[in-house]
Amino acid sequence: ISLPVTSRSFLLLHLQRRWMGYVIQSIYPSSCTWPCNKKKQGMTEDSSISLTLHSLQLPFSNTWKYGILAIAILLLLVALTILACQVCQLRKRHRARKKNKYQSEDRVRIKAENGFWGKRMPPLLLDTSKPSNVDFKASTLMLGQAEPGEPHSCPSCSTTEDPSSDGGPLPSSRGKLKFSLLYRRERCELLVSSLEAWGLPGRGHTGSVVRVRLLQEVPSRIPGLQCVVQEWRSRVVKSCSRPAFGDHFVCSLRDADVEKSTLKLEVQRFDKYSRNAALGEVRVALRELKASRSLAVCAELQKTTKDIVGEVLVSLKCLPISQRIEVGLLKVKTTPPRSTADVYARIDVSCRHHRQKHQKSRPQAHTPLIIFNETFLFHMPEPPVWDCSVLVSIYQVGSDPRHLIGQATVEKSRAREASDHWDLVKKSIQQPVAQWHPLLV
């Protein structure tokens, strides 16, 4: 078909316009609706997430939920209570530390003012502080209307030292101990009361305690054998230069046993983490005690001595090849027991001032003759030394604190029997040598 030129140009222009329209319509509508579609898609996702959270439920009932909430609140309260207790303890420790600091500063200031440091003792005190050969000085007082626990006057205290003084220890003095005794014949009872001490070494910065033993002579082939009838221990008094214990001890004692009984009072320095250290002792023979009369005793503390309460049969054997020493515990003889509790033995060996780990025996019934028949092996240094020390301790089972019945020490520098025992062991290598040793308390 042939068209005129004008018609042909008009057709081309029309087709061009329509093509441009299609192009514009295909581009711009898609670009304008894309953000709207993205926003609509985000709203759809948010709505789906919210529906999912609303549809999510815990698989517990309301009772369990409230129970868990209550437990959480209770744990919170417990934590707050513990925190409050810790804060209170911290404040108390801080106050005690400040108080001790102030007391120490005041003590130092008082000593400096009184001239305690560097001041020589007057000759009169030096003369009176010399140890006396007399065990004690006592004064008997009629009871009358006075009670047994009432303090009595004591001439020996007034002649040697003024009790109202500062209580500091005199040179070469172990201190003094004051107490009262009363024997009630109608009740067959012995009463010990009014325990008081002063002049103890240590300037009163440590605690002190008194151990009281009632001893009785026992007829036996062992010379000096004693039986511990009763044993007491006073309360601990700390940080006091003149402790007043205030304890009263009562014991049943027959009139026939008074003549052969002795009261031993031992003052010790209290140690919470180790064995108490003995400061001195006072012994009183009860034969001087009269019935229904109070005996007030004030005496100087003397050096502590041990009492024989039995004997133990110990065997020793040296094994130089294996570098060991064999300790055999065979038999133990004691006085008739006053308790039905069993006993056990503890063996300690120290060589060259080095203590080895102790070993214990099996419990045995407490009878006058206890048979153990047990051996214990300990390491012996090389070359063999003969300055080893063997300590055998007999304890009562189940007592708290543990009750010591007696101890025996086998050491070359101790006693003649122990030295002879070590000499025999040295001569008899790899052969057991048994010997009896006294059991002391």
Side-chain angles (χ1 to χ4, degrees), residues 149-399:
E150 183 181 351
H152 304 286
S153 60
C154 184
S156 61
C157 297
S158 59
T159 56
T160 59
E161 183 181 1
D162 186 9
S164 62
S165 61
D166 57 351
L170 297 177
S172 305
S173 175
R174 301 176 183 271
K176 290 180 178 294
L177 181 66
K178 178 182 177 183
F179 56 95
S180 62
L181 300 175
L182 175 63
Y183 179 66
R184 299 172 180 173
R185 178 174 293 178
E186 64 277 1
R187 299 183 182 179
C188 295
E189 288 181 352
L190 177 66
L191 175 64
V192 184
S193 60
S194 302
L195 287 173
E196 184 179 1
W198 64 87
L200 302 178
R203 300 181 183 177
H205 295 288
T206 58
S208 54
V209 64
V210 178
R211 184 182 294 274
V212 184
R213 286 192 179 100
L214 182 61
L215 305 175
Q216 194 174 99
E217 296 180 3
V218 178
S220 174
R221 65 173 184 82
I222 305 175
L225 182 63
Q226 301 278 345
C227 175
V228 181
V229 179
Q230 194 73 26
E231 185 174 356
W232 305 281
R233 180 181 174 183
S234 69
R235 65 184 184 93
V236 180
V237 179
K238 298 182 179 180
S239 302
C240 183
S241 60
R242 185 174 179 178
F245 301 95
D247 295 282
H248 294 75
F249 307 113
V250 181
C251 175
S252 297
L253 188 63
R254 296 180 301 176
D255 194 9
D257 298 333
V258 175
E259 295 292 330
K260 52 184 179 180
S261 299
T262 304
L263 191 67
K264 175 184 176 181
L265 297 94
E266 183 178 344
V267 182
Q268 300 175 348
R269 181 184 289 111
F270 177 74
D271 192 345
K272 184 178 180 181
Y273 303 102
S274 181
R275 186 179 300 174
N276 296 343
L279 300 178
E281 67 174 24
V282 174
R283 292 176 181 262
V284 179
L286 297 186
R287 67 174 62 94
E288 301 181 7
L289 192 62
K290 296 182 180 180
S292 301
R293 290 196 179 188
S294 178
L295 178 67
V297 180
C298 180
E300 287 275 355
L301 293 178
Q302 305 297 325
K303 185 179 179 180
T304 56
T305 56
K306 301 292 185 178
D307 298 286
I308 301 177
V309 294
E311 57 182 358
V312 56
L313 182 60
V314 180
S315 69
L316 299 176
K317 183 170 68 172
C318 179
L319 304 173
I321 298 178
S322 60
Q323 298 182 11
R324 292 180 181 274
I325 181 173
E326 183 182 282
V327 180
L329 179 61
L330 305 180
K331 300 178 183 179
V332 175
K333 290 182 180 180
T334 61
T335 56
R338 298 180 178 270
S339 175
T340 58
D342 295 342
V343 297
Y344 70 95
R346 167 174 166 165
I347 313 297
D348 294 272
V349 174
S350 59
C351 295
R352 291 179 177 174
H353 306 286
H354 174 70
R355 177 176 292 182
Q356 303 185 27
K357 186 178 179 180
H358 66 269
Q359 300 184 31
K360 295 182 180 180
S361 69
R362 294 187 298 268
Q364 300 289 341
H366 192 184
T367 58
L369 179 60
I370 309 172
I371 300 177
F372 287 96
N373 285 336
E374 296 185 41
T375 57
F376 309 90
L377 291 176
F378 294 90
H379 176 71
M380 193 173 186
E382 178 68 26
V385 293
W386 306 104
D387 57 350
C388 293
S389 174
V390 179
L391 178 64
V392 181
S393 305
I394 309 297
Y395 290 100
Q396 184 175 335
V397 176
S399 58

Side-chain angles (χ1 to χ4, degrees), residues 3-176:
L3 293 176
V5 176
T6 56
S7 299
R8 203 181 314 173
S9 61
F10 178 77
L11 182 60
L12 291 174
L13 181 62
H14 180 71
L15 291 174
Q16 185 179 2
R17 287 181 178 177
R18 291 199 58 178
W19 182 78
M20 293 295 295
Y22 287 145
V23 171
I24 293 172
Q25 189 175 3
S26 62
I27 295 175
Y28 285 99
S30 61
S31 63
C32 293
T33 58
W34 180 77
C36 297
N37 293 335
K38 186 177 182 181
K39 185 176 181 181
K40 186 181 293 184
Q41 185 179 0
M43 293 176 64
T44 305
E45 291 178 357
D46 294 341
S47 61
S48 63
I49 291 173
S50 62
L51 289 175
T52 304
L53 291 175
H54 283 294
S55 62
L56 182 62
Q57 293 183 359
L58 295 175
F60 301 110
S61 62
N62 293 334
T63 305
W64 280 96
K65 293 178 182 179
Y66 291 137
I68 294 173
L69 180 61
I71 292 173
I73 295 174
L74 181 61
L75 292 176
L76 178 62
L77 293 177
V78 170
L80 292 176
T81 304
I82 294 175
L83 180 62
C85 293
Q86 293 294 331
V87 171
C88 292
Q89 290 183 1
L90 183 62
R91 294 186 64 182
K92 287 182 179 179
R93 291 178 182 175
H94 183 65
R95 291 175 184 174
R97 194 179 297 112
K98 290 178 65 177
K99 185 177 179 181
N100 293 335
K101 181 180 179 181
Y102 293 152
Q103 288 181 354
S104 61
E105 291 178 355
D106 294 341
R107 193 179 297 114
V108 170
R109 177 177 55 81
I110 292 173
K111 287 182 178 181
E113 291 177 357
N114 295 337
F116 183 80
W117 294 327
K119 184 177 179 180
R120 300 182 63 182
M121 303 299 292
L124 179 60
L125 295 180
L126 290 175
D127 295 338
T128 57
S129 62
K130 294 180 180 179
S132 176
N133 295 328
V134 182
D135 291 342
F136 64 90
K137 297 180 180 180
S139 61
T140 57
L141 302 176
M142 294 295 294
L143 278 181
Q145 299 180 359
E147 295 295 330
E150 183 181 351
H152 304 286
S153 60
C154 184
S156 61
C157 297
S158 59
T159 56
T160 59
E161 183 181 1
D162 186 9
S164 62
S165 61
D166 57 351
L170 297 177
S172 305
S173 175
R174 301 176 183 271
K176 290 180 178 294

